[in-house]
Each structure stands twice: as structure tokens, then as C-alpha cells.
Amino acid sequence: MNIKQYKPFLLVSIISVLALLIHKTIFLLFAPNHLESEFVYSLPELYCIFFLLSAFILLILIKISQINMTNVGFIFILLTTFKMGVAYVFLKPILKSNLPNASIEKINFLLVFLLFLTIETCITIRIINPKKQ
């Protein structure tokens, strides 16, 4: 087992913790105190959901890259589509919510989704096109 291959998990972990801390700080500084308590999913729950999905995707991509490098891109597209479906299932209660701050929660959900999608895409590019690191 090559430990360097699993470096993406550490990278995703660090970035997600930093992003969560920044996101929470912005909420503490600029949002009313009760705002997050009205959300369907708290910020840590959102980050945890998307971290687990990203870790799952990266684990599969690393395993696929060891077997057949030419299929990594296709598998990434397939898994990202699956992730979008799972994200929609989690988004449905937010979309059905009639709370006054539902639009803020929708924006938070989209931002967290896009953050993790960006991280996964960058790491997948590194897996597909390994440079001398």
C-alpha cells in the first residue's frame, strides 16, 4: 500500500475543516444568532455529508486508477452524477421549507456542494495527470 496515494483524503479533510471554520466565522460575525438554528441542516452536518461523499468518490477513483487509469475520468463523471442525485435528496426538505431564511440555506447548500465538487475535480485532475510532485 502506497501512503502517497491516499494523500487526497488528508487534503480534503484539511480543506473542509478550514472551509467550515471560515463559514462558521462568517455566520458568527454577520448573521443573526438564531439564523443557523432555523436551518434544516446545520453547517457541520452539511460539511460532514459532503465530506463523506467526497471521501467515497476519492476512494473509488484511487482504486480505479490502480486498476485501469483510462477509466478514471468516466468513473468520476458517473460518481459525480450519483453525488448530485444524493445531494438532491438532501436538498428536497430545504426546497419544501417555507421558513423565512430558506433562501440563505439554499445558498449555503449550493456553496458547500460547489466547494466539494471543486476539490474533487482538482484532485481527480491530479490523479489522471500525475506530475512529478
mmCIF file of all heavy atoms in Angstrom, residues 88-121:
data_model
loop_
_atom_site.group_PDB
_atom_site.id
_atom_site.type_symbol
_atom_site.label_atom_id
_atom_site.label_comp_id
_atom_site.label_asym_id
_atom_site.label_seq_id
_atom_site.Cartn_x
_atom_site.Cartn_y
_atom_site.Cartn_z
ATOM 1 N N TYR A 88 -29.486 16.058 -4.176
ATOM 2 C CA TYR A 88 -30.868 16.483 -4.399
ATOM 3 C C TYR A 88 -31.796 15.908 -3.332
ATOM 4 O O TYR A 88 -32.715 16.589 -2.865
ATOM 5 C CB TYR A 88 -31.349 16.082 -5.798
ATOM 6 C CG TYR A 88 -32.779 16.485 -6.040
ATOM 7 C CD1 TYR A 88 -33.116 17.818 -6.220
ATOM 8 C CD2 TYR A 88 -33.797 15.530 -6.048
ATOM 9 C CE1 TYR A 88 -34.436 18.196 -6.415
ATOM 10 C CE2 TYR A 88 -35.110 15.899 -6.243
ATOM 11 C CZ TYR A 88 -35.426 17.228 -6.432
ATOM 12 O OH TYR A 88 -36.733 17.603 -6.614
ATOM 13 N N VAL A 89 -31.544 14.657 -2.946
ATOM 14 C CA VAL A 89 -32.357 14.047 -1.884
ATOM 15 C C VAL A 89 -32.221 14.861 -0.598
ATOM 16 O O VAL A 89 -33.209 15.103 0.105
ATOM 17 C CB VAL A 89 -31.951 12.572 -1.661
ATOM 18 C CG1 VAL A 89 -32.579 12.004 -0.403
ATOM 19 C CG2 VAL A 89 -32.322 11.742 -2.878
ATOM 20 N N PHE A 90 -30.996 15.301 -0.285
ATOM 21 C CA PHE A 90 -30.793 16.125 0.910
ATOM 22 C C PHE A 90 -31.341 17.537 0.731
ATOM 23 O O PHE A 90 -31.711 18.190 1.707
ATOM 24 C CB PHE A 90 -29.306 16.196 1.270
ATOM 25 C CG PHE A 90 -28.798 14.967 1.963
ATOM 26 C CD1 PHE A 90 -28.023 14.040 1.285
ATOM 27 C CD2 PHE A 90 -29.102 14.725 3.285
ATOM 28 C CE1 PHE A 90 -27.558 12.900 1.907
ATOM 29 C CE2 PHE A 90 -28.649 13.593 3.935
ATOM 30 C CZ PHE A 90 -27.880 12.673 3.242
ATOM 31 N N LEU A 91 -31.391 18.013 -0.499
ATOM 32 C CA LEU A 91 -31.870 19.372 -0.766
ATOM 33 C C LEU A 91 -33.391 19.474 -0.738
ATOM 34 O O LEU A 91 -33.927 20.544 -0.459
ATOM 35 C CB LEU A 91 -31.328 19.841 -2.119
ATOM 36 C CG LEU A 91 -31.672 21.247 -2.577
ATOM 37 C CD1 LEU A 91 -31.093 22.279 -1.602
ATOM 38 C CD2 LEU A 91 -31.155 21.497 -3.979
ATOM 39 N N LYS A 92 -34.085 18.376 -1.003
ATOM 40 C CA LYS A 92 -35.551 18.405 -1.080
ATOM 41 C C LYS A 92 -36.231 19.033 0.147
ATOM 42 O O LYS A 92 -37.119 19.866 -0.008
ATOM 43 C CB LYS A 92 -36.092 16.999 -1.313
ATOM 44 C CG LYS A 92 -36.361 16.692 -2.751
ATOM 45 C CD LYS A 92 -36.924 15.297 -2.879
ATOM 46 C CE LYS A 92 -38.249 15.388 -3.583
ATOM 47 N NZ LYS A 92 -38.781 14.061 -3.913
ATOM 48 N N PRO A 93 -35.849 18.669 1.371
ATOM 49 C CA PRO A 93 -36.503 19.308 2.524
ATOM 50 C C PRO A 93 -36.260 20.819 2.582
ATOM 51 O O PRO A 93 -37.125 21.573 3.030
ATOM 52 C CB PRO A 93 -35.871 18.631 3.738
ATOM 53 C CG PRO A 93 -35.259 17.382 3.242
ATOM 54 C CD PRO A 93 -34.937 17.606 1.803
ATOM 55 N N ILE A 94 -35.116 21.246 2.094
ATOM 56 C CA ILE A 94 -34.823 22.683 2.078
ATOM 57 C C ILE A 94 -35.700 23.371 1.044
ATOM 58 O O ILE A 94 -36.220 24.466 1.284
ATOM 59 C CB ILE A 94 -33.328 22.934 1.784
ATOM 60 C CG1 ILE A 94 -32.465 22.316 2.869
ATOM 61 C CG2 ILE A 94 -33.035 24.424 1.656
ATOM 62 C CD1 ILE A 94 -30.986 22.291 2.558
ATOM 63 N N LEU A 95 -35.884 22.738 -0.105
ATOM 64 C CA LEU A 95 -36.719 23.317 -1.152
ATOM 65 C C LEU A 95 -38.180 23.398 -0.725
ATOM 66 O O LEU A 95 -38.890 24.339 -1.101
ATOM 67 C CB LEU A 95 -36.603 22.497 -2.441
ATOM 68 C CG LEU A 95 -35.248 22.512 -3.135
ATOM 69 C CD1 LEU A 95 -35.239 21.542 -4.313
ATOM 70 C CD2 LEU A 95 -34.887 23.913 -3.592
ATOM 71 N N LYS A 96 -38.627 22.422 0.066
ATOM 72 C CA LYS A 96 -40.017 22.407 0.537
ATOM 73 C C LYS A 96 -40.231 23.304 1.750
ATOM 74 O O LYS A 96 -41.364 23.555 2.134
ATOM 75 C CB LYS A 96 -40.434 20.983 0.871
ATOM 76 C CG LYS A 96 -40.557 20.099 -0.342
ATOM 77 C CD LYS A 96 -40.990 18.710 0.040
ATOM 78 C CE LYS A 96 -41.107 17.840 -1.195
ATOM 79 N NZ LYS A 96 -41.504 16.469 -0.864
ATOM 80 N N SER A 97 -39.162 23.784 2.335
ATOM 81 C CA SER A 97 -39.241 24.597 3.541
ATOM 82 C C SER A 97 -39.860 25.962 3.237
ATOM 83 O O SER A 97 -39.541 26.592 2.236
ATOM 84 C CB SER A 97 -37.841 24.777 4.125
ATOM 85 O OG SER A 97 -37.868 25.707 5.170
ATOM 86 N N ASN A 98 -40.728 26.402 4.117
ATOM 87 C CA ASN A 98 -41.352 27.721 3.983
ATOM 88 C C ASN A 98 -40.797 28.713 5.000
ATOM 89 O O ASN A 98 -41.426 29.721 5.288
ATOM 90 C CB ASN A 98 -42.869 27.615 4.144
ATOM 91 C CG ASN A 98 -43.506 26.874 2.989
ATOM 92 O OD1 ASN A 98 -43.025 26.939 1.860
ATOM 93 N ND2 ASN A 98 -44.571 26.148 3.270
ATOM 94 N N LEU A 99 -39.639 28.412 5.540
ATOM 95 C CA LEU A 99 -39.032 29.293 6.531
ATOM 96 C C LEU A 99 -38.567 30.581 5.865
ATOM 97 O O LEU A 99 -38.224 30.588 4.675
ATOM 98 C CB LEU A 99 -37.857 28.592 7.216
ATOM 99 C CG LEU A 99 -38.209 27.365 8.044
ATOM 100 C CD1 LEU A 99 -36.952 26.659 8.518
ATOM 101 C CD2 LEU A 99 -39.081 27.752 9.214
ATOM 102 N N PRO A 100 -38.530 31.674 6.612
ATOM 103 C CA PRO A 100 -38.129 32.950 6.013
ATOM 104 C C PRO A 100 -36.682 32.982 5.522
ATOM 105 O O PRO A 100 -36.353 33.740 4.623
ATOM 106 C CB PRO A 100 -38.341 33.966 7.143
ATOM 107 C CG PRO A 100 -38.474 33.171 8.386
ATOM 108 C CD PRO A 100 -38.906 31.801 8.010
ATOM 109 N N ASN A 101 -35.823 32.157 6.093
ATOM 110 C CA ASN A 101 -34.406 32.166 5.698
ATOM 111 C C ASN A 101 -34.038 30.978 4.815
ATOM 112 O O ASN A 101 -32.871 30.605 4.735
ATOM 113 C CB ASN A 101 -33.521 32.165 6.949
ATOM 114 C CG ASN A 101 -33.735 33.416 7.763
ATOM 115 O OD1 ASN A 101 -33.804 34.508 7.224
ATOM 116 N ND2 ASN A 101 -33.865 33.251 9.062
ATOM 117 N N ALA A 102 -35.018 30.403 4.135
ATOM 118 C CA ALA A 102 -34.760 29.238 3.286
ATOM 119 C C ALA A 102 -33.819 29.593 2.139
ATOM 120 O O ALA A 102 -33.006 28.767 1.724
ATOM 121 C CB ALA A 102 -36.065 28.672 2.751
ATOM 122 N N SER A 103 -33.895 30.801 1.652
ATOM 123 C CA SER A 103 -33.014 31.189 0.537
ATOM 124 C C SER A 103 -31.554 31.204 0.978
ATOM 125 O O SER A 103 -30.671 30.814 0.209
ATOM 126 C CB SER A 103 -33.412 32.551 -0.026
ATOM 127 O OG SER A 103 -33.297 33.546 0.963
ATOM 128 N N ILE A 104 -31.284 31.618 2.208
ATOM 129 C CA ILE A 104 -29.911 31.607 2.720
ATOM 130 C C ILE A 104 -29.416 30.173 2.852
ATOM 131 O O ILE A 104 -28.269 29.867 2.513
ATOM 132 C CB ILE A 104 -29.829 32.355 4.073
ATOM 133 C CG1 ILE A 104 -30.167 33.827 3.866
ATOM 134 C CG2 ILE A 104 -28.456 32.196 4.707
ATOM 135 C CD1 ILE A 104 -30.303 34.622 5.134
ATOM 136 N N GLU A 105 -30.290 29.295 3.318
ATOM 137 C CA GLU A 105 -29.885 27.886 3.446
ATOM 138 C C GLU A 105 -29.642 27.256 2.076
ATOM 139 O O GLU A 105 -28.720 26.456 1.904
ATOM 140 C CB GLU A 105 -30.938 27.089 4.213
ATOM 141 C CG GLU A 105 -30.460 25.691 4.518
ATOM 142 C CD GLU A 105 -31.383 24.941 5.456
ATOM 143 O OE1 GLU A 105 -32.492 25.416 5.743
ATOM 144 O OE2 GLU A 105 -30.983 23.853 5.903
ATOM 145 N N LYS A 106 -30.427 27.615 1.081
ATOM 146 C CA LYS A 106 -30.212 27.108 -0.277
ATOM 147 C C LYS A 106 -28.855 27.567 -0.811
ATOM 148 O O LYS A 106 -28.125 26.791 -1.432
ATOM 149 C CB LYS A 106 -31.317 27.586 -1.210
ATOM 150 C CG LYS A 106 -32.662 26.968 -0.946
ATOM 151 C CD LYS A 106 -33.728 27.605 -1.813
ATOM 152 C CE LYS A 106 -35.112 27.210 -1.359
ATOM 153 N NZ LYS A 106 -36.159 27.931 -2.088
ATOM 154 N N ILE A 107 -28.523 28.824 -0.554
ATOM 155 C CA ILE A 107 -27.229 29.353 -0.991
ATOM 156 C C ILE A 107 -26.094 28.625 -0.277
ATOM 157 O O ILE A 107 -25.094 28.250 -0.902
ATOM 158 C CB ILE A 107 -27.157 30.873 -0.756
ATOM 159 C CG1 ILE A 107 -28.129 31.597 -1.696
ATOM 160 C CG2 ILE A 107 -25.744 31.397 -0.940
ATOM 161 C CD1 ILE A 107 -28.342 33.056 -1.367
ATOM 162 N N ASN A 108 -26.226 28.398 1.027
ATOM 163 C CA ASN A 108 -25.217 27.648 1.779
ATOM 164 C C ASN A 108 -25.032 26.252 1.210
ATOM 165 O O ASN A 108 -23.906 25.783 1.052
ATOM 166 C CB ASN A 108 -25.600 27.534 3.255
ATOM 167 C CG ASN A 108 -25.234 28.752 4.030
ATOM 168 O OD1 ASN A 108 -24.273 29.428 3.718
ATOM 169 N ND2 ASN A 108 -26.015 29.039 5.048
ATOM 170 N N PHE A 109 -26.128 25.592 0.938
ATOM 171 C CA PHE A 109 -26.071 24.236 0.392
ATOM 172 C C PHE A 109 -25.329 24.245 -0.941
ATOM 173 O O PHE A 109 -24.446 23.414 -1.168
ATOM 174 C CB PHE A 109 -27.493 23.695 0.216
ATOM 175 C CG PHE A 109 -27.546 22.224 -0.072
ATOM 176 C CD1 PHE A 109 -27.677 21.320 0.959
ATOM 177 C CD2 PHE A 109 -27.472 21.749 -1.369
ATOM 178 C CE1 PHE A 109 -27.718 19.953 0.713
ATOM 179 C CE2 PHE A 109 -27.512 20.391 -1.631
ATOM 180 C CZ PHE A 109 -27.646 19.490 -0.588
ATOM 181 N N LEU A 110 -25.672 25.186 -1.809
ATOM 182 C CA LEU A 110 -25.022 25.262 -3.118
ATOM 183 C C LEU A 110 -23.534 25.567 -2.977
ATOM 184 O O LEU A 110 -22.707 24.961 -3.665
ATOM 185 C CB LEU A 110 -25.697 26.330 -3.980
ATOM 186 C CG LEU A 110 -25.094 26.535 -5.364
ATOM 187 C CD1 LEU A 110 -25.263 25.285 -6.211
ATOM 188 C CD2 LEU A 110 -25.693 27.738 -6.039
ATOM 189 N N LEU A 111 -23.183 26.480 -2.083
ATOM 190 C CA LEU A 111 -21.769 26.815 -1.893
ATOM 191 C C LEU A 111 -20.957 25.620 -1.396
ATOM 192 O O LEU A 111 -19.853 25.370 -1.876
ATOM 193 C CB LEU A 111 -21.624 27.993 -0.925
ATOM 194 C CG LEU A 111 -22.067 29.346 -1.450
ATOM 195 C CD1 LEU A 111 -21.989 30.401 -0.343
ATOM 196 C CD2 LEU A 111 -21.240 29.769 -2.641
ATOM 197 N N VAL A 112 -21.504 24.884 -0.456
ATOM 198 C CA VAL A 112 -20.794 23.711 0.081
ATOM 199 C C VAL A 112 -20.684 22.638 -1.006
ATOM 200 O O VAL A 112 -19.623 22.029 -1.185
ATOM 201 C CB VAL A 112 -21.489 23.170 1.352
ATOM 202 C CG1 VAL A 112 -20.847 21.880 1.818
ATOM 203 C CG2 VAL A 112 -21.444 24.215 2.456
ATOM 204 N N PHE A 113 -21.759 22.438 -1.760
ATOM 205 C CA PHE A 113 -21.729 21.469 -2.863
ATOM 206 C C PHE A 113 -20.653 21.847 -3.878
ATOM 207 O O PHE A 113 -19.849 21.012 -4.287
ATOM 208 C CB PHE A 113 -23.101 21.396 -3.543
ATOM 209 C CG PHE A 113 -23.129 20.480 -4.732
ATOM 210 C CD1 PHE A 113 -23.278 19.119 -4.562
ATOM 211 C CD2 PHE A 113 -23.001 20.979 -6.020
ATOM 212 C CE1 PHE A 113 -23.297 18.260 -5.654
ATOM 213 C CE2 PHE A 113 -23.013 20.140 -7.120
ATOM 214 C CZ PHE A 113 -23.171 18.774 -6.933
ATOM 215 N N LEU A 114 -20.625 23.111 -4.273
ATOM 216 C CA LEU A 114 -19.642 23.569 -5.263
ATOM 217 C C LEU A 114 -18.213 23.507 -4.728
ATOM 218 O O LEU A 114 -17.287 23.195 -5.476
ATOM 219 C CB LEU A 114 -19.980 24.980 -5.737
ATOM 220 C CG LEU A 114 -21.246 25.096 -6.586
ATOM 221 C CD1 LEU A 114 -21.540 26.561 -6.900
ATOM 222 C CD2 LEU A 114 -21.148 24.275 -7.849
ATOM 223 N N LEU A 115 -18.026 23.790 -3.441
ATOM 224 C CA LEU A 115 -16.700 23.694 -2.837
ATOM 225 C C LEU A 115 -16.155 22.269 -2.963
ATOM 226 O O LEU A 115 -15.033 22.055 -3.435
ATOM 227 C CB LEU A 115 -16.738 24.110 -1.369
ATOM 228 C CG LEU A 115 -15.474 23.817 -0.570
ATOM 229 C CD1 LEU A 115 -14.354 24.767 -0.993
ATOM 230 C CD2 LEU A 115 -15.737 23.909 0.911
ATOM 231 N N PHE A 116 -16.970 21.300 -2.553
ATOM 232 C CA PHE A 116 -16.509 19.916 -2.599
ATOM 233 C C PHE A 116 -16.384 19.404 -4.036
ATOM 234 O O PHE A 116 -15.500 18.602 -4.328
ATOM 235 C CB PHE A 116 -17.410 19.015 -1.754
ATOM 236 C CG PHE A 116 -17.098 19.104 -0.293
ATOM 237 C CD1 PHE A 116 -17.785 19.967 0.537
ATOM 238 C CD2 PHE A 116 -16.088 18.339 0.248
ATOM 239 C CE1 PHE A 116 -17.480 20.058 1.884
ATOM 240 C CE2 PHE A 116 -15.769 18.418 1.598
ATOM 241 C CZ PHE A 116 -16.465 19.289 2.415
ATOM 242 N N LEU A 117 -17.238 19.878 -4.926
ATOM 243 C CA LEU A 117 -17.105 19.494 -6.330
ATOM 244 C C LEU A 117 -15.792 20.022 -6.903
ATOM 245 O O LEU A 117 -15.093 19.313 -7.634
ATOM 246 C CB LEU A 117 -18.285 20.030 -7.142
ATOM 247 C CG LEU A 117 -18.297 19.705 -8.628
ATOM 248 C CD1 LEU A 117 -18.341 18.199 -8.844
ATOM 249 C CD2 LEU A 117 -19.469 20.387 -9.303
ATOM 250 N N THR A 118 -15.427 21.238 -6.538
ATOM 251 C CA THR A 118 -14.158 21.818 -6.985
ATOM 252 C C THR A 118 -12.967 21.027 -6.443
ATOM 253 O O THR A 118 -12.022 20.724 -7.174
ATOM 254 C CB THR A 118 -14.057 23.292 -6.545
ATOM 255 O OG1 THR A 118 -15.178 24.007 -7.066
ATOM 256 C CG2 THR A 118 -12.782 23.926 -7.032
ATOM 257 N N ILE A 119 -13.033 20.683 -5.169
ATOM 258 C CA ILE A 119 -11.952 19.906 -4.553
ATOM 259 C C ILE A 119 -11.812 18.556 -5.260
ATOM 260 O O ILE A 119 -10.706 18.149 -5.622
ATOM 261 C CB ILE A 119 -12.215 19.702 -3.048
ATOM 262 C CG1 ILE A 119 -12.151 21.031 -2.295
ATOM 263 C CG2 ILE A 119 -11.223 18.713 -2.448
ATOM 264 C CD1 ILE A 119 -12.691 20.949 -0.879
ATOM 265 N N GLU A 120 -12.926 17.874 -5.457
ATOM 266 C CA GLU A 120 -12.892 16.568 -6.122
ATOM 267 C C GLU A 120 -12.342 16.681 -7.541
ATOM 268 O O GLU A 120 -11.558 15.833 -7.979
ATOM 269 C CB GLU A 120 -14.294 15.968 -6.195
ATOM 270 C CG GLU A 120 -14.863 15.549 -4.883
ATOM 271 C CD GLU A 120 -16.350 15.294 -4.980
ATOM 272 O OE1 GLU A 120 -16.879 15.144 -6.098
ATOM 273 O OE2 GLU A 120 -16.987 15.237 -3.924
ATOM 274 N N THR A 121 -12.744 17.715 -8.257
ATOM 275 C CA THR A 121 -12.278 17.893 -9.625
ATOM 276 C C THR A 121 -10.773 18.123 -9.667
ATOM 277 O O THR A 121 -10.065 17.521 -10.484
ATOM 278 C CB THR A 121 -13.022 19.067 -10.292
ATOM 279 O OG1 THR A 121 -14.434 18.833 -10.219
ATOM 280 C CG2 THR A 121 -12.609 19.227 -11.734
#
